[in-house]
Structure formats: C-alpha cells, structure tokens
Amino acid sequence: MTPPIISPLFLYIEIIILDAHYSKLEQDGLLLIQGPDSLNFLQGQTTCDTSKIDGEHALLGAYCNPQGRMCCDFLLVGIGEDQFALRMRKDIISSSAAVFGKYIIFSKATLNSDNSEWHVFAFWGKDVREALSTIVPTMPVAKLAAVTEDSYTLVQIDEAGSQYECYINVNAPADIVEKFHAIAPRAQEEHWHALQIKAGIGRIENNTSEAFIPQMLNYDITGHVNFKKGCYTGQEVVARMHYRGKPKRRAYVASLPGAEITDAGTALFSGESAQSVGNIVNSAHDASGKTMVLIVSTVPGIENGLHLGGPNGQQLEVGQLPYSIEKD
C-alpha cells in the first residue's frame, strides 16, 4: 500500500499549534564559582543550604549585606565537578562578584564574572516538556531538579513542568536551541519574565540591590531562605524578622494595562500622602501586551489603592499571588 502523503501545510499547522516557546534571556547571566571550597564558601555567605545541592538539584538563594538587605538573588546550579553557577540579572553580576570577592580570598575557590562562554535560555508552555524530551536524553523530574551534561544544564523551574531554564556553553556542540526552534517559535524574553512575575518570584536588579530584606520579596515563602542552616552574612536580621517580627512590606502581583515598562525601584504611593508606601520590583509585558509588575507594598497601601510614581500617577490593579502569605 502506498503510504499517505503528508502535506507541508499539515506539518506547518502542527508546529503552530504546539504550545511551546523559547527565548534567549539577555537580561540574565551566570556568576561562575569553582574550586573544592565553593559550596562551603557559599554556605557561610548566602541564605540557602548548599549541602542540599548536587548535579541533580538546583537551589534558590540570596546574598545579604550585614544589615540583611539583599545584594543579589540567584539560582545556584552545578555545571561540572567543583564548578557552579549563580544565575542572576546581568546588571548585578559585577557588583555581586565584588562583594563575594571580599571574602573568597580565604577559600580554595575562585569567581569568574565573565559569563560570555555561557548563554541562558528559557523554554515554556503546556507542551514544552514533551517538546524538550524529543531533544535531550534526560529530563528533570521535579521543581528545581536539574540535569547536567557536558555542554548544558537544564533546570525545571515550576511544579507543573511547563517552565525550564537552560545554561548552554557556547564552546560545546549543544544544538538544543536549533532543534527546539525547528518545532516551536521563538518568543519575546519579557514574556518569560512576565511568567515569573505572575508566579510571585521577585528578582533583584541594579536599581534595587541592597533595597529589600528577603521577607519583602516573600523569599521566606518561596524557598530562597533556609532558616535551619547555620550563620551567614545578614542572618541575624533575617532570622529576627522571621521569629520575632513581622514584615511591614510584602511582595504582590499587579498590572498596568497597556503601560510602558516601569523601572525597578520606582516608588508607589497611596491616597493623598506624599510618602511612598512601596516600590516596583520587576516589570514585563506578557503575551497579551499587559504590563505585569511585581511590587513591594504595605498592607494599607494595597487596601487603599496604589499609584505609580506619585499620588496622581497611574493606578495599579493588584492581582492574586499563587501562594499564601496569610500566616503573617
């Protein structure tokens, strides 16, 4: 029997209806650290418990100054033997390396802020796991699970398995992106960042470095802070707030329909008061064109309505976080 002829149009339609997207993350980069003391060094400096990381697991964390204000946030992943990467915003890599560098001289570890040999990509969508599994031999199996090969590290970002980040070495023959491009369209980077905002995950940018304590970005809830590990820089302030205090400001998801991207750190106001009640943390357009913003605000500010840049500025529409902060 003659096999049926599959028209190019049919194949084209199959590609278009696939709910899977990818983008190169130009705003993100890797701060590299290597050496036998790498994890011990990070254990004494950051909010996460690095004893829990290995080649199959990534960790969320942050580095605080002695006052408990965050210099950077990161996703920590292993990229080789005694080699690790802290994924963060590119605009804070140099300043973060300078802060870490004050203390790493006492460890058998070295930092490298030149991340030109690594590219950061995001993959997302309802069908993305199925699409990626046709390209890579092994897939992560849970949130923050990781798979590391010679040329890349792939990390599952969410519980549902619909969001992934991949760190690819440009000197290795990794063709993940080329193969994925053959079956799914490239999307705008800000659509990925909008997804993270909707997930209630705040990111430190240059304008907000050393502006927030972890609880302001809900990091005590999102897994960025381990309260059972030993001491680290800023730990006393962070722990005191957790056990004895209550943060006056928390992170919330909001939107500005049709608005332009808003700079991180922009002040928020409520009512007629000239005193700021919060700030923009991150801002990005989603696939519908709506401007999604993650904000830090007081509870009265949320209840009375928030305005951008001044009491008469554009009003934000506050949405729902995908997790609860009612315990506070």
Side-chain angles (χ1 to χ4, degrees), residues 161-289:
S162 62
Q163 299 177 14
Y164 298 84
E165 286 186 2
C166 192
Y167 317 121
I168 302 176
N169 192 304
V170 299
N171 296 319
D175 55 357
I176 295 174
V177 177
E178 290 81 359
K179 290 180 178 178
F180 198 86
H181 182 69
I183 58 175
R186 183 167 182 167
Q188 296 182 43
E189 176 180 2
E190 60 181 326
H191 295 172
W192 168 259
H193 294 309
L195 285 176
Q196 305 314 301
I197 290 172
K198 292 176 181 179
I201 305 298
R203 300 288 303 281
I204 300 297
E205 301 185 23
N206 186 56
N207 289 351
T208 56
S209 182
E210 301 190 69
F212 306 125
I213 64 172
Q215 285 90 339
M216 290 183 184
L217 294 193
N218 304 339
Y219 279 5
D220 54 327
I221 298 170
T222 57
H224 288 71
V225 182
N226 186 301
F227 290 98
K228 296 181 180 180
K229 63 169 286 183
C231 295
Y232 56 88
T233 305
Q235 184 261 351
E236 183 179 353
V237 175
V238 178
R240 186 188 308 121
M241 177 64 71
H242 179 71
Y243 292 110
R244 299 183 181 180
K246 180 178 180 180
K248 296 180 179 179
R249 300 188 180 198
R250 280 289 197 181
Y252 302 88
V253 174
S255 62
L256 288 164
E260 295 298 320
I261 297 299
T262 304
D263 290 339
T266 299
L268 301 174
F269 297 82
S270 184
E272 300 299 322
S273 174
Q275 183 175 358
S276 170
V277 297
N279 300 89
I280 296 292
V281 179
N282 305 118
S283 175
H285 289 134
D286 67 10
S288 72

Side-chain angles (χ1 to χ4, degrees), residues 15-21 124-128 184:
I15 292 174
I16 292 300
I17 63 175
L18 185 68
D19 183 6
H21 313 274
W124 69 95
K126 181 172 62 69
D127 303 317
V128 71

Side-chain angles (χ1 to χ4, degrees), residues 28-34 41-42 46 63 72-77 79 83-90 92-101 104 110-116 118 120 167:
D28 288 337
L30 304 181
L31 175 58
L32 307 177
I33 180 170
Q34 63 180 7
F41 168 75
L42 293 174
T46 68
Y63 176 80
C72 67
D73 73 285
F74 56 80
L75 180 67
L76 175 64
V77 295
I79 57 174
Q83 298 181 70
F84 302 89
L86 297 94
R87 188 270 288 134
M88 61 181 67
R89 285 286 198 259
K90 274 184 180 178
I92 60 171
I93 287 179
S94 294
S95 60
S96 299
V99 173
F100 280 124
I104 202 169
T110 58
L111 289 167
N112 182 5
S113 59
D114 178 9
N115 56 91
S116 59
W118 292 86
V120 181
Y167 317 121

